[in-house]
């Protein structure tokens, strides 16, 4: 099981993630082309301007009026994306398998970032229950998704701290990590891929077409 | 049985009687048509991308005004309507359609503030307009709003104004203006004029003096202008909001064709927000143009140009304490907020700005056709805009200036309902009071 997870499973997961992501983005752009009233209003300058305002903490009014949520979501997302890519253990494996290698985070830092992801996930989960509006629009799948997203971090943390049987935990870690990759293009986590597209389109509709700001 | 809310009990034959005529097959057919033939990429991406974070809630005046009732968050309105339609593939009953129509027509002014608060820029107003489209094709539209659309279809204007009444009103207002400046004119059908001036039907119908005001302003500024004597003068467009896009397209086409027939260089349009939106954005796109075929400027921009270039000079600034209602469709929809402030500061001595302001201003909750849903829904609209009343009261001003007809009526309603003791004015009203009329024109 460990061998399978380590070898083929991870490769398949990457292939599905990369292939699936390309498929979602390209098919969306083709569909947008067919809808006719989208591409004529896309402007790289205004699109980028809008993206910048929203990926910088406190760059938009809505980020400013919710400071604690803003700090939480930025820390969560930054750690979520960077930790897996910059963890020493992962890089060693990639070097072995695909002879790819780059700079890694000091282990203390990656542990800290892992904890941030886990805590962030838990807070998001609780917020879904506690905030009446968010609860009203959430369905069970939203809760499951949070669990899938933080599962690899929880198991990675446990493996690193040698909690439970290492081999069992690391196998579960790889399986949950694979699941994490695979669901990105096919569930609401696709917001990661679509963010630049929807934001850029709105940036164009506001900035290029209407000469107004959308942040 | 669940207790019905006050809003659910409102009687409106346009909804109540019409849903009785629906069959499940009709509903499914229309839903399928709109969701597969008329919408594609945006609908799909917006539904897949929404992470249900609720951040859009903060944007909506209805949500903020109703003690953060989750039902009024923008995303909840989408959930209660579109998500269900998609999930159930249109397999919904008349009761569902009735509720859906209530939500999209009377509890959302399609002001697009929420798309500025969603981190993904999801265009919720567009999604809710799609639902209006479905309602319209099903014939379930608030009766007053549908009547306005019918008026567009029959007379090409919003208020059943006939051609003779139109011409008559213009001539009457020309005479009124001549009492002030004897050479003032409202030139009809002048081919090759620099400017065609467009208004919306409430002007000839109930606010005719605004036409007389413009005759004075154009005269003083020395603008070569004209108005059509035929249909095609009204560029308001309630069909755009009722979801009857075929009629929306006809109205806009006639308006542009009229300008083309008169061979004008540009159109200046009166102080109205949604009419600008219809003429410049929704209309052209429906007709297959990315941008309007003839340049069009909104009154705010026109006044700005006239003041900036000195073609209109101010004799003595207006003394009353004023504030602004930024109309969504010209401020969020055209970025004219700064020019609006320039104009107000040129005209007025004592101006206090609103907060939030510019693109972030709250909608008046009259726009998007909501005020046209008529008296049955007025109380609901008022409850949906407590924040506006608070925002205006905080300025301490006496006069609210707004260059938009819908905002004008909407703010008047709010002032009355919340007893704010303020008055609403158009820019042109203050401009004619304060501008310099050169001696040689006084005659
Ligand atoms: S802010 Fe955007 S993503 Fe969040 S719930 Fe509202 S529409 Fe959905
Ligand atoms: S009223 Fe404005 S902010 Fe509220 S849902 Fe409609 S478009 Fe969004
Ligand atoms: S009436 Fe005025 S504020 Fe209200 S939607 Fe129209 S333009 Fe916006």
């Amino acid at each position: 099981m460990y061998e399978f997870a380590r070898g083929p499973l991870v490769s398949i997961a990457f292939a599905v993630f990369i292939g699936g992501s390309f498929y979602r983005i390209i098919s969306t752009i083709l569909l947008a082309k067919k809808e006719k009233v989208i591409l004529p209003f896309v402007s790289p300058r205004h699109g980028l301007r809008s993206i910048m305002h929203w990926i910088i903490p406190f760059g938009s009014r809505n980020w400013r009026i919710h400071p604690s949520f803003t700090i939480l979501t930025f820390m969560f997302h930054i750690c979520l994306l960077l930790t897996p890519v910059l963890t020493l253990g992962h890089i060693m494996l990639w070097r072995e398998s695909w002879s790819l290698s780059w700079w890694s985070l000091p282990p203390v830092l990656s542990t800290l970032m892992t904890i941030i992801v886990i805590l962030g996930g838990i807070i998001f989960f609780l917020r879904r229950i506690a905030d009446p509006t968010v609860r009203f629009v959430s369905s069970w799948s939203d809760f499951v998704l949070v669990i899938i997203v933080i599962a690899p971090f929880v198991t990675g943390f446990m493996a690193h701290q040698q909690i439970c049987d290492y081999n069992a935990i690391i196998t579960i870690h790889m399986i949950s990590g694979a699941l994490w990759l695979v669901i990105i293009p096919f569930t609401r986590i696709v917001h990661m891929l679509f963010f630049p597209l929807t934001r850029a389109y709105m940036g164009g509709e506001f900035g290029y077409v209407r000469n107004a700001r959308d942040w | 049985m669940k207790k019905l809310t006050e809003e659910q009990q409102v009687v409106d034959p346009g909804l109540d009687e019409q849903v009785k005529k629906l069959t499940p097959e009709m509903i499914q057919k229309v839903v399928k048509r709109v969701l597969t033939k008329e919408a594609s990429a945006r609908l799909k991406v917006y539904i897949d991308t929404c992470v249900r974070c609720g951040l859009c809630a903060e944007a909506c005046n209805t949500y903020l005004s109703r003690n953060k009732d989750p039902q009024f968050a923008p995303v909840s309105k989408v959930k209660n309507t579109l998500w269900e339609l998609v999930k159930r593939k249109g397999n919904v009953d008349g009761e569902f359609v009735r509720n859906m129509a209530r939500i999209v027509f009377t509890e959302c002014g399609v002001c697009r503030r929420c798309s500025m608060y969603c981190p993904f820029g999801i265009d919720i107003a567009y999604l809710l307009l799609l639902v209006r489209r479905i309602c319209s094709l099903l014939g379930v539209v608030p009766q007053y709003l549908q009547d306005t659309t019918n008026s567009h279809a029959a007379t090409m204007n919003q208020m059943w104004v006939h051609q003779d009444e139109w011409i008559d009103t213009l001539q009457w207002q020309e005479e009124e203006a001549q009492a002030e400046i004897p050479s003032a004119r409202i030139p009809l059908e002048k081919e090759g004029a620099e400017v065609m001036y467009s208004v919306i039907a409430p002007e000839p119908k109930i606010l005719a003096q605004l036409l007389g005001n413009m005759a004075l302003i154009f005269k003083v500024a020395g603008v070569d202008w004209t108005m059509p004597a035929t249909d095609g003068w009204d560029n308001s467009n309630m069909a755009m909001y009722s979801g009857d896009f075929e009629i929306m397209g006809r109205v806009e086409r006639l308006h542009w064709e009229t300008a083309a027939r008169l061979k004008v260089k540009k159109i200046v349009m009166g102080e109205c927000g949604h009419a600008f939106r219809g003429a410049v954005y929704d209309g052209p796109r429906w007709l297959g143009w990315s941008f309007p075929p003839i340049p069009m400027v909104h009154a705010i921009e026109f006044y700005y140009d006239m003041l900036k270039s000195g073609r209109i000079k101010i004799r003595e600034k207006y003394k009353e304490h004023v504030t602004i209602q930024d109309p969504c469709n010209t401020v969020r929809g055209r970025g004219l907020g700064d020019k609006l402030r320039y104009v107000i500061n040129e005209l007025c001595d004592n101006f206090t700005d609103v907060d939030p302001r510019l693109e972030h201003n709250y909608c008046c909750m009259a726009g998007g056709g909501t005020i046209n849903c008529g008296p049955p829904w007025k109380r609901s609209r008022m409850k949906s805009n407590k924040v506006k009343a608070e925002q205006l009261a905080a300025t301490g001003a006496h006069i609210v200036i707004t260059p938009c007809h819908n905002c004008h009526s909407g703010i008047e309603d709010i002032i009355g309902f919340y007893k704010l003791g303020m008055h609403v004015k158009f820019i042109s009203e203050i401009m004619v009071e304060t501008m310099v009329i050169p001696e040689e024109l006084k005659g």
Side-chain angles (χ1 to χ4, degrees), chain A residues 24 35 61-62 128 188 215, chain B residues 41 48 50-51 117 360:
Chain A
R24 287 305 303 267
E35 201 174 320
R61 180 173 191 263
N62 210 8
R128 262 197 202 288
R188 253 188 296 292
W215 55 84
Chain B
D48 287 353
C50 174
V51 291
Y117 284 71
H360 288 281

Side-chain angles (χ1 to χ4, degrees), chain B residues 41 65 109 116 124 163 204 211 220 232 237 310 332 334 403 430:
Chain B
S65 297
M116 292 174 62
I124 295 164
Q163 193 180 11
L211 288 158
V220 169
N237 206 325
R332 188 149 44 249
R334 190 57 160 194
I430 296 179

Side-chain angles (χ1 to χ4, degrees), chain A residues 18-29:
Chain A
I18 295 170
S21 300
F22 270 109
Y23 168 75
R24 287 305 303 267
I25 291 178
I26 290 169
S27 64
T28 298
I29 293 176

Side-chain angles (χ1 to χ4, degrees), chain B residues 28-41:
Chain B
Q28 281 185 33
K29 202 172 138 214
V30 165
V31 170
K32 188 165 167 221
R33 165 176 161 187
V34 173
L35 297 190
T36 61
K37 294 231 164 60
E38 298 191 4
S40 65

Side-chain angles (χ1 to χ4, degrees), chain A residues 10-24 81 177-186 189 192-193:
Chain A
V10 171
S11 306
I12 292 169
F14 269 104
V16 173
F17 163 61
I18 295 170
S21 300
F22 270 109
Y23 168 75
R24 287 305 303 267
L81 294 178
L179 187 63
W180 188 87
L181 280 175
V182 167
I183 65 161
I184 291 175
F186 305 108
I189 312 296
M192 163 184 155
L193 305 174

Side-chain angles (χ1 to χ4, degrees), chain A residues 24 27-38 40-41 50 54 60-66 69 73 77 127-128 131-142 185 187-192 194-202 205-206 208-215, chain B residues 38-58 63 68-71 73 75-77 79-80 83 112-113 115-124 126 277 281-282 285-286 289-291 331-336 338 355-356 358-360 362:
Chain A
R24 287 305 303 267
S27 64
T28 298
I29 293 176
L30 290 177
L31 206 59
K33 204 167 154 200
K34 258 178 54 196
E35 201 174 320
K36 299 237 167 53
V37 290
I38 297 178
F41 308 111
S50 174
W54 284 91
S60 71
R61 180 173 191 263
N62 210 8
W63 289 146
R64 287 193 294 275
I65 58 182
H66 297 112
F69 182 85
T73 191
H77 282 97
R127 178 176 178 269
R128 262 197 202 288
D131 183 314
T133 303
V134 185
R135 185 174 61 229
F136 177 68
V137 294
S138 298
S139 58
W140 58 270
S141 62
D142 296 294
T187 61
R188 253 188 296 292
I189 312 296
V190 76
H191 71 268
M192 163 184 155
F194 284 167
F195 169 79
L197 304 184
T198 55
R199 198 69 258 170
Y201 167 66
M202 236 355 169
E205 283 282 11
F206 268 80
Y208 170 54
V209 180
R210 293 179 174 77
N211 186 32
R213 290 162 288 225
D214 62 338
W215 55 84
Chain B
E38 298 191 4
S40 65
R42 279 180 292 175
L43 170 65
K44 189 165 168 37
V45 169
Y46 288 156
I47 286 191
D48 287 353
T49 304
C50 174
V51 291
R52 294 131 189 230
C53 61
L55 285 179
C56 48
E58 207 65 42
Y63 173 84
K68 309 204 167 184
D69 180 344
Q71 296 288 335
V75 57
S76 308
K77 295 175 195 170
K79 173 193 155 80
N80 286 338
W83 288 358
R112 297 173 92 237
R113 192 170 191 258
S115 13
M116 292 174 62
Y117 284 71
C118 168
F120 301 93
I122 292 178
D123 195 345
I124 295 164
Y126 160 76
R277 168 179 174 158
Y281 306 123
D282 297 44
R285 288 185 194 189
W286 179 264
W289 309 319
S290 300
F291 292 97
V331 173
R332 188 149 44 249
R334 190 57 160 194
L336 294 180
D338 294 323
D355 175 39
L358 299 168
E359 284 96 332
H360 288 281
Y362 302 121

Side-chain angles (χ1 to χ4, degrees), chain B residues 180-184 219-220 313 436-443:
Chain B
E180 197 97 16
I181 301 179
S183 56
K219 184 71 204 174
V220 169
K313 294 192 184 61
V436 176
I437 298 181
E439 281 309 315
E440 66 272 19
L441 289 182
K442 283 188 181 153

